[in-house]
Amino acid sequence: MAKLDELISKICPDGVEYKQLGEVLGYKQPSKYIVHTTKYDDEFETPVLTAGQTFILGYTDEKDGIYEATKENPVIIFDDFTTANKWVDFRFKVKSSAMKLLTSKDNNRYNIRYLFHVLQTIKYMPVDHSRQWIEKYSKFRIPVPPIEVQSEIVRILDNFTELTAELTAELTAELTARKKQYEYYRDELLTFGDEVEWKTLGELSISMYRGSGIKRDEITENGIECVRYGEIYTTYNIWFKDCVSHTNESLQTNGKYFEHGDILFAITGESVDEIAKSCVYLGDKKCLAGGDIVVMKHNQNPRYMAYVLSTTNAQQQKSKGKIKSKVVHSSVPDIAKIKIPVPTLEVQEKIANILDKFNSLCNDISEGLPAEIEVRKKQYEYYRDKLLTFKEKKN
């Protein structure tokens, strides 16, 4: 980084100017670029972009309202709800109007790639409205060094990102292979045939009921722990002990609770293949279940239930009869029909213990390959934050 230090000493020895993001980034509300069909097909040409890890939701054959991003004129997609952002240099359509399309207001003064790296430093700040870019994030103050310094920072971070991406890709491929091995072994271990009795969840259930809506703006830093249905897809694995969200219990006049061992099913989602994803609560508190969640109480081994409901067979039953569209729904009657093998509690405990060991190798962030991938991410964040720390120039 000698060249960067030299540039800073020569061009901006007294510090750099700070500006609000809204001063350097222009945005478009992508209403005219939104896809209007629910039919996606890999045979079509135009990718449909969404927020989060999925990114490319599918492909559409719609011809109108396409955003013509290129390598020479890229755009940054910024999600108003999560602050997730993606670099896009190809033509596309988007799904959600909550996503802003960000571009540099002046390419001669503001390197768009530099601004992209800066956006990675923004942390999500809960607010009570959806237009977070306008009200919150566009006012985020950032260092804006001379364009030469911006370009050198981009060169360093892009090189680091490229090397990290290559290594992460190798680690991810290895992890994917291990996960497939684990899933194969799990399914084999939980395929009993006629050796044990099979029962529906309706037969095993002591009670099964829907949660009650907890609004986004009712989430608080403190209060009673709660789960909203989207978190089952994005935050929790097949079982968990602590909730990431809290709410004011007094606001939930019709609150629905869950406790240790209860199973939670997300009955609304975007994917037929993942609809009704389930997770088991292994904590020791009394928590609130949000809307579009089904809670099931039972007297089986909770960890065994977590594993058997994550098998390929169980997911196929959850997805049966569902149609791919913008939103996919399940219901209490659908959940109650799912049939699973029910060995003795002693056998359930043995199977759960075996699968715990395999599951931790694939999913525990503190062990094995997931930890290595996390280390690479932390390294990038460390160097990025170091390079983007400047003394502010006094007027």
Side-chain angles (χ1 to χ4, degrees), residues 72-337:
E72 292 73 28
N73 294 290
V75 64
I76 300 170
I77 288 182
F78 184 89
D79 179 16
D80 254 350
F81 292 110
T82 67
T83 74
N85 53 85
K86 296 289 196 311
W87 179 265
V88 183
D89 54 10
F90 50 84
R91 63 202 308 268
F92 64 89
K93 297 198 75 172
V94 300
K95 178 190 174 186
S96 172
S97 61
M99 298 161 64
K100 298 293 185 289
L101 307 182
L102 306 180
T103 55
S104 172
K105 284 188 172 181
D106 185 344
N107 290 328
N108 293 319
R109 296 179 63 192
Y110 314 125
N111 185 313
I112 184 68
R113 187 69 181 177
Y114 170 80
L115 298 175
F116 171 72
H117 286 294
V118 171
L119 283 172
Q120 313 306 310
T121 66
I122 295 182
K123 306 300 181 185
Y124 173 65
M125 298 179 287
V127 290
D128 58 0
H129 47 74
S130 63
R131 300 181 75 83
Q132 296 178 41
W133 172 257
I134 296 172
E135 299 296 332
K136 285 282 184 182
Y137 300 114
S138 67
K139 298 176 181 178
F140 190 86
R141 295 180 77 249
I142 66 165
V144 186
I147 192 70
E148 298 92 337
V149 175
Q150 294 179 42
S151 298
E152 180 61 13
I153 290 174
V154 167
R155 187 189 68 80
I156 294 170
L157 287 179
D158 279 357
N159 285 342
F160 186 86
T161 302
E162 184 177 350
L163 291 172
T164 301
E166 290 176 1
L167 182 55
T168 300
E170 293 177 5
L171 294 173
T172 302
E174 176 65 20
L175 181 58
T176 300
R178 288 195 188 183
K179 283 185 176 180
K180 288 183 178 179
Q181 290 176 332
Y182 156 74
E183 290 167 359
Y184 173 81
Y185 186 78
R186 176 202 63 201
D187 288 358
E188 284 293 307
L189 194 59
L190 292 169
T191 300
F192 293 93
D194 297 329
E195 300 171 24
V196 302
E197 187 176 10
W198 287 62
K199 292 185 177 181
T200 65
L201 296 186
E203 294 173 308
L204 294 173
S205 171
I206 296 174
S207 64
M208 190 180 294
Y209 51 88
R210 289 190 60 162
S212 182
I214 300 173
K215 298 177 182 178
R216 182 188 299 274
D217 59 9
E218 292 174 345
I219 296 299
T220 58
E221 291 187 9
N222 301 302
I224 186 171
E225 293 188 7
C226 64
V227 172
R228 302 177 76 233
Y229 85 91
E231 295 169 346
I232 295 177
Y233 292 110
T234 62
T235 304
Y236 301 116
N237 198 355
I238 60 173
W239 55 263
F240 67 104
K241 292 184 178 179
D242 298 295
C243 302
V244 299
S245 297
H246 300 77
T247 190
N248 185 338
E249 190 172 9
S250 64
L251 297 175
Q252 310 304 323
T253 56
N254 189 33
K256 302 296 183 180
Y257 297 86
F258 63 89
E259 300 174 282
H260 178 86
D262 291 349
I263 307 168
L264 308 182
F265 297 86
I267 58 170
T268 296
E270 296 181 352
S271 168
V272 170
D273 296 333
E274 294 184 348
I275 188 62
K277 180 180 181 295
S278 56
C279 58
V280 173
Y281 177 60
L282 297 181
D284 56 6
K285 299 176 183 177
K286 187 176 181 180
C287 311
L288 280 168
D292 288 335
I293 290 177
V294 166
V295 179
M296 174 183 165
K297 293 185 176 293
H298 60 95
N299 56 13
Q300 304 301 306
N301 182 292
R303 290 181 298 125
Y304 173 81
M305 294 295 286
Y307 287 117
V308 77
L309 287 170
S310 69
T311 60
T312 303
N313 178 277
Q315 189 56 57
Q316 287 174 344
Q317 293 183 67
K318 295 175 186 178
S319 303
K320 186 177 180 180
K322 302 295 184 290
I323 299 173
K324 186 174 183 180
S325 62
K326 286 186 177 180
V327 181
V328 185
H329 294 287
S330 188
S331 64
V332 170
D334 289 341
I335 301 297
K337 293 176 186 177

